[in-house]
Every structure is written in structure tokens, then in C-alpha cells.
Amino acid sequence: SARALVGAILTSSSQAARSGRSASGYDYEVPGQWQGRHRTLRVVGDKSAGHTTARLAGEGPSLAALRQRLPLPQVLVHVVRDPLDNVSTLVRRGSFASIERAIAFYDELCVAVAAVEVDAEVEMHRLHLEELIARPHEQLRALATALGVDAPPDWLAACAARLWPRAARTRELVEWTAAQRQAIAAIVERHPAWFRRDASAEARACG
């Protein structure tokens, strides 16, 4: 039921707040804010980008089924990072034995997101990591607007203070072949609205 689903999300959020919001070496705790607590509940959500996208691409429940089960406005937040860093992170975490397999998996995720994007009933907000770091208040306000909530100054300042000065460039920790760089560039060119204009050229030049 919708009540059970929302309850599960709230329970997960409260447990994460109590145990410390850390994952994959990143600390997501925002001191002084409302993580795991609320006065008037207006938005619920969770994040598990790779798993969520893989389920959408597979045989699991569809977004249409979710809309039937939870008849509330739904917004998908599509966070975009440089694909060179995405793929190299997958390899360095041991998720894949080779760069080629990681690239193939990343390409499958992109295809799944693109399929969701054309669904007229799906509202999607795209958030670029590099732009969030460069202009955090602007990007966070846009995200809050997409979710239908306010963006008070103390929340903006607290969230902005948790960002690193720049995105981790894990691409520099991997040795790329020309074929691998070309495969990444091809993914970028298939989804030009997502990535920076220079991403394709950088993929070809990265070494």
C-alpha cells in the first residue's frame, strides 16, 4: 500500500540519520538540518542510482505500476557526472573486472534512463555534479523547486558547506586505451543533452 511504502522510506531515513549518513566513502550528513525528522511531511524519497536504473531496465515493477500504487506526484532526480569518472569508479570499487564491462554496464544504464526520459508521465529533474559544486545555491534552489518545497537560506548554506571543492577525478587513476576512450565518447554523443559539450573531446583525449 501507499502507506506502507511511505512508512518504509521514513524508517530508512530515520535509521540512516541515527547511524550516520555515509556511503561509498562520502558523508551525506548535513548538520543542523532535518534529516530523518519532519514536522509536515511534503516529500519522501531515496537514492540508489545504479540499482534503481537497473530495475527500470529489467523485468521488475515499472514506473507505471509505482504510479498506480502511489498516486502522488513523482519526480526522478537524474544526477549526471562525467562518464569517465563514473566508469573508473565502478572499476576501482571492484564492481567489474574490466573497464570494458564497466563501460557496457554504464551504457545500459544510460539507455534505461533515456527510455524513462521520453515517458510523458515522468517528471525528471537533471542535476549536474560539476554545476552543483560550481553554483550550489542556484542548483539546490532549482532542485527544491522541482520537488515543490522551499529552499531556506540556512538549508542552502548547510548543504553547500558539505560539498567538496571539486568533483573527484577518478578518471586520472585509470589507464585508458584508445578503444575505451572512444566507447565513452560514443556514449556522450548518444546523449548530448546530458553531458558537457567538451565531454566527448575529453574522453578521446584522456590518457
Side-chain angles (χ1 to χ4, degrees):
S1 67
R3 183 181 294 274
L5 180 58
V6 172
I9 294 173
L10 290 177
T11 298
S12 175
S13 179
S14 297
Q15 290 175 343
R18 288 195 298 270
S19 62
R21 288 182 173 273
S22 61
S24 303
Y26 294 94
D27 184 359
Y28 293 98
E29 183 178 359
V30 183
Q33 296 304 306
W34 286 81
Q35 291 170 306
R37 302 177 296 132
H38 66 276
R39 275 199 291 259
T40 301
L41 187 63
R42 298 177 62 186
V43 173
V44 296
D46 209 339
K47 79 167 203 71
S48 184
H51 292 298
T52 300
T53 309
R55 291 192 68 178
L56 292 174
E59 300 298 326
S62 65
L63 285 174
L66 178 61
R67 285 194 292 269
Q68 291 180 349
R69 184 175 181 182
L70 190 64
L72 297 170
Q74 296 171 17
V75 179
L76 301 183
V77 180
H78 179 203
V79 179
V80 179
R81 185 183 177 191
D82 189 294
L84 288 165
D85 293 322
N86 278 130
V87 170
S88 56
T89 297
L90 288 172
V91 174
R92 288 182 55 77
R93 288 179 181 170
S95 302
F96 294 91
S98 70
I99 294 177
E100 286 78 10
R101 290 186 178 181
I103 292 173
F105 175 74
Y106 185 79
D107 191 22
E108 291 174 0
L109 296 185
C110 288
V111 170
V113 172
V116 172
E117 197 172 35
V118 299
D119 185 338
E121 296 190 58
V122 173
E123 182 176 351
M124 184 178 290
H125 178 78
R126 188 171 298 119
L127 178 64
H128 293 85
L129 178 59
E130 287 81 2
E131 293 181 9
L132 174 64
I133 292 173
R135 300 183 299 280
H137 287 218
E138 171 191 311
Q139 295 299 312
L140 288 168
R141 282 195 198 94
L143 174 61
T145 297
L147 297 176
V149 296
D150 299 327
D154 65 320
W155 176 75
L156 291 171
C159 292
R162 301 298 292 143
L163 294 172
W164 288 10
R166 75 167 193 169
R169 293 174 62 88
T170 52
R171 75 193 80 169
E172 298 172 354
L173 304 177
V174 170
E175 293 185 7
W176 301 89
T177 67
Q180 291 163 354
R181 295 197 301 268
Q182 180 60 42
I184 292 287
I187 293 173
V188 172
E189 290 169 359
R190 284 196 290 273
H191 308 284
W194 299 359
F195 301 108
R196 298 193 327 267
R197 293 180 181 179
D198 61 343
S200 178
E202 186 174 356
R204 290 194 176 93
C206 181

PDB file of all heavy atoms in Angstrom, residues 69-92:
ATOM      1  N   ARG A  69       0.334   2.341  -7.518  1.00  0.00           N
ATOM      2  CA  ARG A  69       0.430   2.011  -6.094  1.00  0.00           C
ATOM      3  C   ARG A  69       0.536   3.262  -5.240  1.00  0.00           C
ATOM      4  O   ARG A  69       0.037   3.286  -4.112  1.00  0.00           O
ATOM      5  CB  ARG A  69       1.647   1.110  -5.864  1.00  0.00           C
ATOM      6  CG  ARG A  69       1.790   0.626  -4.429  1.00  0.00           C
ATOM      7  CD  ARG A  69       2.941  -0.347  -4.303  1.00  0.00           C
ATOM      8  NE  ARG A  69       3.064  -0.844  -2.939  1.00  0.00           N
ATOM      9  CZ  ARG A  69       4.010  -1.680  -2.542  1.00  0.00           C
ATOM     10  NH1 ARG A  69       4.918  -2.117  -3.404  1.00  0.00           N
ATOM     11  NH2 ARG A  69       4.062  -2.080  -1.276  1.00  0.00           N
ATOM     12  N   LEU A  70       1.171   4.279  -5.765  1.00  0.00           N
ATOM     13  CA  LEU A  70       1.401   5.512  -5.016  1.00  0.00           C
ATOM     14  C   LEU A  70       0.913   6.680  -5.866  1.00  0.00           C
ATOM     15  O   LEU A  70       1.695   7.315  -6.571  1.00  0.00           O
ATOM     16  CB  LEU A  70       2.891   5.660  -4.701  1.00  0.00           C
ATOM     17  CG  LEU A  70       3.297   6.761  -3.731  1.00  0.00           C
ATOM     18  CD1 LEU A  70       2.724   6.495  -2.350  1.00  0.00           C
ATOM     19  CD2 LEU A  70       4.819   6.861  -3.651  1.00  0.00           C
ATOM     20  N   PRO A  71      -0.377   6.980  -5.833  1.00  0.00           N
ATOM     21  CA  PRO A  71      -0.945   8.014  -6.703  1.00  0.00           C
ATOM     22  C   PRO A  71      -0.626   9.427  -6.215  1.00  0.00           C
ATOM     23  O   PRO A  71      -1.513  10.198  -5.871  1.00  0.00           O
ATOM     24  CB  PRO A  71      -2.440   7.706  -6.646  1.00  0.00           C
ATOM     25  CG  PRO A  71      -2.647   7.115  -5.288  1.00  0.00           C
ATOM     26  CD  PRO A  71      -1.395   6.325  -4.995  1.00  0.00           C
ATOM     27  N   LEU A  72       0.646   9.743  -6.207  1.00  0.00           N
ATOM     28  CA  LEU A  72       1.127  11.062  -5.808  1.00  0.00           C
ATOM     29  C   LEU A  72       2.086  11.570  -6.876  1.00  0.00           C
ATOM     30  O   LEU A  72       2.645  10.782  -7.648  1.00  0.00           O
ATOM     31  CB  LEU A  72       1.857  10.989  -4.457  1.00  0.00           C
ATOM     32  CG  LEU A  72       1.033  10.565  -3.240  1.00  0.00           C
ATOM     33  CD1 LEU A  72       1.963  10.314  -2.049  1.00  0.00           C
ATOM     34  CD2 LEU A  72       0.004  11.618  -2.900  1.00  0.00           C
ATOM     35  N   PRO A  73       2.284  12.886  -6.964  1.00  0.00           N
ATOM     36  CA  PRO A  73       3.268  13.397  -7.942  1.00  0.00           C
ATOM     37  C   PRO A  73       4.643  12.782  -7.693  1.00  0.00           C
ATOM     38  O   PRO A  73       5.092  12.673  -6.551  1.00  0.00           O
ATOM     39  CB  PRO A  73       3.275  14.907  -7.666  1.00  0.00           C
ATOM     40  CG  PRO A  73       1.965  15.192  -7.015  1.00  0.00           C
ATOM     41  CD  PRO A  73       1.630  13.971  -6.208  1.00  0.00           C
ATOM     42  N   GLN A  74       5.302  12.370  -8.769  1.00  0.00           N
ATOM     43  CA  GLN A  74       6.613  11.731  -8.646  1.00  0.00           C
ATOM     44  C   GLN A  74       7.630  12.468  -9.512  1.00  0.00           C
ATOM     45  O   GLN A  74       7.341  12.823 -10.652  1.00  0.00           O
ATOM     46  CB  GLN A  74       6.524  10.264  -9.064  1.00  0.00           C
ATOM     47  CG  GLN A  74       5.621   9.442  -8.161  1.00  0.00           C
ATOM     48  CD  GLN A  74       5.355   8.055  -8.698  1.00  0.00           C
ATOM     49  OE1 GLN A  74       6.065   7.576  -9.581  1.00  0.00           O
ATOM     50  NE2 GLN A  74       4.332   7.399  -8.175  1.00  0.00           N
ATOM     51  N   VAL A  75       8.792  12.675  -8.953  1.00  0.00           N
ATOM     52  CA  VAL A  75       9.888  13.347  -9.656  1.00  0.00           C
ATOM     53  C   VAL A  75      11.130  12.471  -9.544  1.00  0.00           C
ATOM     54  O   VAL A  75      11.522  12.071  -8.442  1.00  0.00           O
ATOM     55  CB  VAL A  75      10.187  14.735  -9.052  1.00  0.00           C
ATOM     56  CG1 VAL A  75      11.351  15.396  -9.798  1.00  0.00           C
ATOM     57  CG2 VAL A  75       8.950  15.621  -9.084  1.00  0.00           C
ATOM     58  N   LEU A  76      11.736  12.172 -10.668  1.00  0.00           N
ATOM     59  CA  LEU A  76      13.013  11.460 -10.676  1.00  0.00           C
ATOM     60  C   LEU A  76      14.130  12.483 -10.776  1.00  0.00           C
ATOM     61  O   LEU A  76      14.094  13.373 -11.627  1.00  0.00           O
ATOM     62  CB  LEU A  76      13.080  10.493 -11.852  1.00  0.00           C
ATOM     63  CG  LEU A  76      12.013   9.406 -11.921  1.00  0.00           C
ATOM     64  CD1 LEU A  76      12.279   8.497 -13.123  1.00  0.00           C
ATOM     65  CD2 LEU A  76      11.988   8.594 -10.637  1.00  0.00           C
ATOM     66  N   VAL A  77      15.129  12.358  -9.919  1.00  0.00           N
ATOM     67  CA  VAL A  77      16.289  13.251  -9.957  1.00  0.00           C
ATOM     68  C   VAL A  77      17.424  12.501 -10.650  1.00  0.00           C
ATOM     69  O   VAL A  77      17.916  11.484 -10.155  1.00  0.00           O
ATOM     70  CB  VAL A  77      16.705  13.688  -8.541  1.00  0.00           C
ATOM     71  CG1 VAL A  77      17.914  14.620  -8.612  1.00  0.00           C
ATOM     72  CG2 VAL A  77      15.542  14.378  -7.832  1.00  0.00           C
ATOM     73  N   HIS A  78      17.808  13.006 -11.799  1.00  0.00           N
ATOM     74  CA  HIS A  78      18.855  12.389 -12.611  1.00  0.00           C
ATOM     75  C   HIS A  78      20.159  13.145 -12.373  1.00  0.00           C
ATOM     76  O   HIS A  78      20.346  14.247 -12.875  1.00  0.00           O
ATOM     77  CB  HIS A  78      18.463  12.447 -14.089  1.00  0.00           C
ATOM     78  CG  HIS A  78      19.481  11.850 -15.011  1.00  0.00           C
ATOM     79  ND1 HIS A  78      19.553  12.191 -16.350  1.00  0.00           N
ATOM     80  CD2 HIS A  78      20.464  10.941 -14.794  1.00  0.00           C
ATOM     81  CE1 HIS A  78      20.533  11.517 -16.900  1.00  0.00           C
ATOM     82  NE2 HIS A  78      21.107  10.759 -15.985  1.00  0.00           N
ATOM     83  N   VAL A  79      21.034  12.559 -11.573  1.00  0.00           N
ATOM     84  CA  VAL A  79      22.330  13.190 -11.279  1.00  0.00           C
ATOM     85  C   VAL A  79      23.338  12.742 -12.322  1.00  0.00           C
ATOM     86  O   VAL A  79      23.541  11.543 -12.537  1.00  0.00           O
ATOM     87  CB  VAL A  79      22.811  12.820  -9.856  1.00  0.00           C
ATOM     88  CG1 VAL A  79      24.162  13.474  -9.574  1.00  0.00           C
ATOM     89  CG2 VAL A  79      21.784  13.254  -8.820  1.00  0.00           C
ATOM     90  N   VAL A  80      23.965  13.707 -12.962  1.00  0.00           N
ATOM     91  CA  VAL A  80      24.898  13.420 -14.055  1.00  0.00           C
ATOM     92  C   VAL A  80      26.314  13.787 -13.624  1.00  0.00           C
ATOM     93  O   VAL A  80      26.557  14.888 -13.121  1.00  0.00           O
ATOM     94  CB  VAL A  80      24.532  14.211 -15.331  1.00  0.00           C
ATOM     95  CG1 VAL A  80      25.529  13.907 -16.447  1.00  0.00           C
ATOM     96  CG2 VAL A  80      23.116  13.872 -15.765  1.00  0.00           C
ATOM     97  N   ARG A  81      27.220  12.878 -13.832  1.00  0.00           N
ATOM     98  CA  ARG A  81      28.646  13.076 -13.563  1.00  0.00           C
ATOM     99  C   ARG A  81      29.408  12.740 -14.833  1.00  0.00           C
ATOM    100  O   ARG A  81      28.893  12.036 -15.709  1.00  0.00           O
ATOM    101  CB  ARG A  81      29.076  12.157 -12.416  1.00  0.00           C
ATOM    102  CG  ARG A  81      30.507  12.349 -11.942  1.00  0.00           C
ATOM    103  CD  ARG A  81      30.835  11.338 -10.846  1.00  0.00           C
ATOM    104  NE  ARG A  81      32.210  11.428 -10.404  1.00  0.00           N
ATOM    105  CZ  ARG A  81      32.801  10.532  -9.624  1.00  0.00           C
ATOM    106  NH1 ARG A  81      32.119   9.472  -9.193  1.00  0.00           N
ATOM    107  NH2 ARG A  81      34.068  10.687  -9.268  1.00  0.00           N
ATOM    108  N   ASP A  82      30.616  13.213 -14.948  1.00  0.00           N
ATOM    109  CA  ASP A  82      31.412  12.890 -16.130  1.00  0.00           C
ATOM    110  C   ASP A  82      31.522  11.372 -16.257  1.00  0.00           C
ATOM    111  O   ASP A  82      31.897  10.690 -15.296  1.00  0.00           O
ATOM    112  CB  ASP A  82      32.805  13.513 -16.012  1.00  0.00           C
ATOM    113  CG  ASP A  82      33.584  13.402 -17.305  1.00  0.00           C
ATOM    114  OD1 ASP A  82      33.915  12.267 -17.714  1.00  0.00           O
ATOM    115  OD2 ASP A  82      33.872  14.442 -17.914  1.00  0.00           O
ATOM    116  N   PRO A  83      31.185  10.810 -17.426  1.00  0.00           N
ATOM    117  CA  PRO A  83      31.174   9.347 -17.558  1.00  0.00           C
ATOM    118  C   PRO A  83      32.538   8.698 -17.340  1.00  0.00           C
ATOM    119  O   PRO A  83      32.609   7.546 -16.907  1.00  0.00           O
ATOM    120  CB  PRO A  83      30.674   9.132 -18.994  1.00  0.00           C
ATOM    121  CG  PRO A  83      30.905  10.426 -19.694  1.00  0.00           C
ATOM    122  CD  PRO A  83      30.747  11.482 -18.661  1.00  0.00           C
ATOM    123  N   LEU A  84      33.616   9.414 -17.621  1.00  0.00           N
ATOM    124  CA  LEU A  84      34.938   8.866 -17.343  1.00  0.00           C
ATOM    125  C   LEU A  84      35.094   8.577 -15.858  1.00  0.00           C
ATOM    126  O   LEU A  84      35.656   7.553 -15.463  1.00  0.00           O
ATOM    127  CB  LEU A  84      36.022   9.840 -17.808  1.00  0.00           C
ATOM    128  CG  LEU A  84      36.217   9.989 -19.317  1.00  0.00           C
ATOM    129  CD1 LEU A  84      37.052  11.232 -19.619  1.00  0.00           C
ATOM    130  CD2 LEU A  84      36.872   8.749 -19.907  1.00  0.00           C
ATOM    131  N   ASP A  85      34.599   9.476 -15.021  1.00  0.00           N
ATOM    132  CA  ASP A  85      34.680   9.280 -13.575  1.00  0.00           C
ATOM    133  C   ASP A  85      33.723   8.198 -13.111  1.00  0.00           C
ATOM    134  O   ASP A  85      34.051   7.396 -12.226  1.00  0.00           O
ATOM    135  CB  ASP A  85      34.386  10.596 -12.849  1.00  0.00           C
ATOM    136  CG  ASP A  85      35.460  11.640 -13.099  1.00  0.00           C
ATOM    137  OD1 ASP A  85      36.644  11.277 -13.157  1.00  0.00           O
ATOM    138  OD2 ASP A  85      35.110  12.822 -13.254  1.00  0.00           O
ATOM    139  N   ASN A  86      32.516   8.156 -13.691  1.00  0.00           N
ATOM    140  CA  ASN A  86      31.564   7.095 -13.341  1.00  0.00           C
ATOM    141  C   ASN A  86      32.159   5.716 -13.598  1.00  0.00           C
ATOM    142  O   ASN A  86      32.131   4.838 -12.731  1.00  0.00           O
ATOM    143  CB  ASN A  86      30.282   7.243 -14.153  1.00  0.00           C
ATOM    144  CG  ASN A  86      29.330   8.266 -13.567  1.00  0.00           C
ATOM    145  OD1 ASN A  86      28.850   9.137 -14.279  1.00  0.00           O
ATOM    146  ND2 ASN A  86      29.034   8.201 -12.285  1.00  0.00           N
ATOM    147  N   VAL A  87      32.671   5.527 -14.795  1.00  0.00           N
ATOM    148  CA  VAL A  87      33.185   4.210 -15.188  1.00  0.00           C
ATOM    149  C   VAL A  87      34.416   3.835 -14.371  1.00  0.00           C
ATOM    150  O   VAL A  87      34.530   2.700 -13.878  1.00  0.00           O
ATOM    151  CB  VAL A  87      33.490   4.189 -16.694  1.00  0.00           C
ATOM    152  CG1 VAL A  87      34.249   2.912 -17.073  1.00  0.00           C
ATOM    153  CG2 VAL A  87      32.203   4.297 -17.497  1.00  0.00           C
ATOM    154  N   SER A  88      35.331   4.766 -14.205  1.00  0.00           N
ATOM    155  CA  SER A  88      36.544   4.448 -13.443  1.00  0.00           C
ATOM    156  C   SER A  88      36.218   4.138 -11.989  1.00  0.00           C
ATOM    157  O   SER A  88      36.854   3.265 -11.371  1.00  0.00           O
ATOM    158  CB  SER A  88      37.548   5.602 -13.530  1.00  0.00           C
ATOM    159  OG  SER A  88      36.975   6.826 -13.102  1.00  0.00           O
ATOM    160  N   THR A  89      35.205   4.787 -11.418  1.00  0.00           N
ATOM    161  CA  THR A  89      34.798   4.496 -10.049  1.00  0.00           C
ATOM    162  C   THR A  89      34.235   3.085  -9.944  1.00  0.00           C
ATOM    163  O   THR A  89      34.522   2.357  -8.980  1.00  0.00           O
ATOM    164  CB  THR A  89      33.747   5.522  -9.567  1.00  0.00           C
ATOM    165  OG1 THR A  89      34.341   6.814  -9.547  1.00  0.00           O
ATOM    166  CG2 THR A  89      33.266   5.176  -8.164  1.00  0.00           C
ATOM    167  N   LEU A  90      33.430   2.670 -10.927  1.00  0.00           N
ATOM    168  CA  LEU A  90      32.903   1.300 -10.931  1.00  0.00           C
ATOM    169  C   LEU A  90      34.035   0.281 -10.910  1.00  0.00           C
ATOM    170  O   LEU A  90      33.978  -0.724 -10.184  1.00  0.00           O
ATOM    171  CB  LEU A  90      32.030   1.079 -12.172  1.00  0.00           C
ATOM    172  CG  LEU A  90      30.667   1.773 -12.203  1.00  0.00           C
ATOM    173  CD1 LEU A  90      30.034   1.613 -13.582  1.00  0.00           C
ATOM    174  CD2 LEU A  90      29.747   1.207 -11.126  1.00  0.00           C
ATOM    175  N   VAL A  91      35.073   0.541 -11.685  1.00  0.00           N
ATOM    176  CA  VAL A  91      36.197  -0.395 -11.765  1.00  0.00           C
ATOM    177  C   VAL A  91      36.998  -0.388 -10.469  1.00  0.00           C
ATOM    178  O   VAL A  91      37.352  -1.438  -9.918  1.00  0.00           O
ATOM    179  CB  VAL A  91      37.094  -0.047 -12.965  1.00  0.00           C
ATOM    180  CG1 VAL A  91      38.343  -0.928 -12.981  1.00  0.00           C
ATOM    181  CG2 VAL A  91      36.317  -0.203 -14.270  1.00  0.00           C
ATOM    182  N   ARG A  92      37.282   0.789  -9.941  1.00  0.00           N
ATOM    183  CA  ARG A  92      38.118   0.887  -8.749  1.00  0.00           C
ATOM    184  C   ARG A  92      37.419   0.324  -7.505  1.00  0.00           C
ATOM    185  O   ARG A  92      38.092  -0.112  -6.571  1.00  0.00           O
ATOM    186  CB  ARG A  92      38.531   2.343  -8.519  1.00  0.00           C
ATOM    187  CG  ARG A  92      39.560   2.845  -9.528  1.00  0.00           C
ATOM    188  CD  ARG A  92      39.973   4.276  -9.230  1.00  0.00           C
ATOM    189  NE  ARG A  92      40.462   4.435  -7.866  1.00  0.00           N
ATOM    190  CZ  ARG A  92      41.666   4.070  -7.431  1.00  0.00           C
ATOM    191  NH1 ARG A  92      42.508   3.500  -8.277  1.00  0.00           N
ATOM    192  NH2 ARG A  92      42.016   4.274  -6.171  1.00  0.00           N
TER     193      ARG A  92
END
